[in-house]
Structures are given as structure tokens and as C-alpha cells.
Amino acid sequence: MPSRSQLFCIVCGGADVVGLIQLISVPVICTQLWRSASEARKVARADIDLVGCRGCGHVFNAVFDPARITYEANYENSLMASPRYRQFTDAIIERLFAAYDLKGRTVVEIGCGRGEFLHILCQRGIRTGIGFEPSRPSETVSVDGAMMRFISSVFDPALAPHADAVCTRHVLEHLPRPVDLLRAIRKAYASCPAQVLFIEVPNGGFMLDQLGIWEFLYEELSYFTPSSLANMLRLAGLSIERIEPAFGGYLLIAEAICGPHDARHPASSPAVAENFHTFGARYTATVTAWREWMDLARRQGKRLALWGGGSKGITFLNLLDRNGQHVVQHVIDINPLKTGTFTAGTGHQIVPPAALKDSPPDAILLMNPEYETEVRRALRDLNIAVQLIPVSGYLPPPATA
Ligand SMILES: [Zn+2]
């Protein structure tokens, strides 16, 4: 673990920063697609030294090194294959159309990935969708009579096109100075104060309150709590319309407009500081309970599967099923791009649900209970009846495997 010098909060700049937990030797990038188990096990590793700012409630990795993050072409983190996540995204879009009258308008998305969100916006009736995304080439395509344009760049106010709404989803948590991006957005769009900025980030408050401890991964430098997100928006000179938990509490969504800040959203709250105080002990007790549970299952010769080959599943496996004989035989994921690939750091093979028919496991660990309904439906369709064990920080492991 690299030593940390005097720490300052990366959101508010305050020095009242306390240590929370450390995760040693986790994969630097979780969601790259590895084609062999041995290649997957050789993944670059780094440590996480998670700290919390008592001034604004922000949580971040104090030893994060952005130079270690290089996304390759085989990076895959789309959640859109899941009907539940797609339904959530549709509801967000519905809300934005209703609240900000987006029909026939222009929307800019910063960090648009493959452009799936913009694509749905175009199908729903915006006129132009423009995405900033350094990992893909600049091009223009038409979608159902709308135009979708990709700019192969990080967001640059000098390149900023006119926009009626700006979105940035799952971007701010990767940035060493997240407030700088918000200031750049404000600078680019300050002359049109009615424009809305929509933000979606993982909910660090949920990780602290509900022990969403399998969410921590090296790629994400930051975990915003409602108070640190509010602070950051205020520091960027944006006025907060709304900040709330979403998707079962796993995510935070925010809407803001250019203008003076709204005093309804406080700087920090005593509850956040209290959570900092108890988090380390709660984290250790939960990881220990799951480790003992997995060891017992291993000794009993159980065959487990794990549903969810995303970052949560990969963090869980790296903490609990990395060395020796794997007790998790297969990782199941419905994203066809992941089929036949292997999990970073541990080399578990990722298979589609249908593969369970050949060798049903004794039980399935469900990494995100938000997907329980669709997972149960998929198992019913495949005529597979096995125990489904939700893996949530606040739920202890079951009595037996
Ligand atoms: Zn702070």
C-alpha cells in the first residue's frame, strides 16, 4: 500500500479526512473481457485505501493513480442487456422528457460510451444527440429521423455544441478533480441558464448505510454521497433541482441548472460522519462472515454459481474465491459479449444462463438483488430449480451453503 501524505478532499479541498477501509491487490480494471483464465489471472492489480471527508461526506480512494487506468477496446460495462436496468433508463428518459420538454431538442452526453442512452433519446424524439467519448471515433449516424453525432474527445468547452440538456452518467466517479468537469459544463452553457444537467453516479451513501461493500473497485476513484454530490454542484456554481437515490439505492441521480446554489441541500450531515466511524468494523465483520461461509461450502464440496459478471461479482470473487480450488464453478451473465470470457483476477468462466442446464449448481449467489425478478424468470424458463442467495452487505450469508 503506497503511503499517503497529508490528504485533502478531492471535492471540497478540506483536510478533515479519515481512513475507512483498505482493499489489497484488487484488479485495476474489472470489466475488461479476458479470453483465457490464465490471462485473466495476470491482470494488473492495485490497492484501494478508502477515506472519507468529514467536511462534505465524500468517500474516495486516497492512493488512486489515474495513470494506471487504460481502457482497451475489449472494455465492456454496458448494463443495457438487463431488462431491469433498461426499464430504469426508460423511466429516467421519461422523466427528463416530461420535466424539460426535450421533444425536438438537442442533448449532449459527456462520456457516452457506445451511445446507448443517446440512441434511446433519439428514438424517443430528440432531434440531435451529441456524445463526447474519447474511446470511439468521431462520426454521425441517423436514428429514426434524428441525428446522433460522436465527438472523439473528452468534454472541451471550446467544442461544446448548443444543448438543451447535458447528461453525464457514470463519469464523475472516475475523475481526479470531478468539480472541474462541472465547472467546464457551467462555463460552456452559462449563457443559457435554463439548460438542465443530469448526473448519474454510484451511491456512496448506500455503500456506507447498507454495506454495499462489493461495489468498491479500483476504476472508481470516488463514491459520492448525497451531501458530497450537493457540495460539488454548489462549488461548480450550479443550482440543485433534485438529488435522490435510484435503482434500489445503488445509484444517485441529480438534476441541476446554472445559477446560484440552493441552500436546502446541506454541506454534510452527522449521519455521514457516524457511518465513517462504524464502517470499518461493519465491513470487516461482513467480509469475515462471507469468507467463513465460502470456506464451509468449499469443504463440503458444494458447487456454486454466481449471477452477475460485472464489477460487483468480480470484487466479491477477488475477495473470497481467488486462491486455491474455486467453489464458484461458473459466473452467469446475460450480456452475450461476456459469454466465454473470464473474470479479471480470478479466471472464473462467464457463461450464459442456458449453460446451467448441463450442470445445475447447488445454489446461485445473486450479486444484485435488483435483478431478482428477472433472474427467477430466467431460471423458471430454463426449468432450473436451485436456491438463489442474494448477496447484499446488510444481509448475512445464509446458515448453510
Ligand atoms: Zn470534502
Side-chain angles (χ1 to χ4, degrees), residues 27-101:
V28 168
I29 294 188
C30 278
T31 42
Q32 196 157 333
L33 302 179
W34 297 101
R35 301 290 166 193
S36 76
S38 59
E39 196 185 31
R41 289 193 196 103
K42 285 186 221 146
V43 66
R45 294 178 177 279
D47 300 330
I48 296 174
D49 183 4
L50 210 64
V51 299
C53 169
R54 288 198 286 205
C56 76
H58 194 56
V59 176
F60 62 102
N61 175 8
V63 294
F64 178 82
D65 176 4
R68 302 206 61 173
I69 305 284
T70 46
Y71 292 117
E72 308 287 338
N74 55 353
Y75 177 76
E76 170 59 28
N77 73 341
S78 174
L79 301 172
M80 290 295 194
S82 157
R84 174 74 184 87
Y85 188 76
R86 174 62 200 254
Q87 188 185 43
F88 163 71
T89 305
D90 287 343
I92 293 284
I93 288 174
E94 189 89 26
R95 145 93 198 162
L96 292 175
F97 265 79
Y100 301 102
D101 188 24

Side-chain angles (χ1 to χ4, degrees), residues 198-226:
F198 174 78
I199 291 171
E200 184 181 314
V201 287
N203 183 1
F206 173 84
M207 294 173 193
L208 294 172
D209 295 342
Q210 306 291 326
L211 275 182
I213 57 176
W214 316 111
E215 312 283 325
F216 297 119
L217 62 157
Y218 191 83
E219 287 154 78
E220 291 174 354
L221 158 60
S222 275
Y223 299 94
F224 291 95
T225 62

Side-chain angles (χ1 to χ4, degrees), residues 102-153:
L102 294 184
K103 200 157 186 67
R105 308 275 187 166
T106 296
V107 176
V108 164
E109 186 180 7
I110 296 166
C112 68
R114 290 205 299 260
E116 291 159 310
F117 189 68
L118 283 177
H119 194 274
I120 303 170
L121 284 166
C122 287
Q123 287 174 321
R124 282 294 317 277
I126 63 167
R127 183 170 53 85
T128 310
I130 301 169
F132 283 85
E133 178 55 62
S135 73
R136 60 167 302 150
S138 294
E139 62 174 331
T140 301
V141 293
S142 69
V143 178
D144 295 353
M147 189 184 78
M148 191 157 72
R149 180 154 74 91
F150 295 99
I151 301 174
S152 185
S153 169

Side-chain angles (χ1 to χ4, degrees), residues 171-190:
V171 170
L172 290 160
E173 65 268 29
H174 302 283
L175 304 179
R177 292 187 52 81
V179 69
D180 286 356
L181 173 59
L182 298 187
R183 285 186 176 129
I185 293 169
R186 182 172 183 264
K187 185 176 164 198
Y189 295 107

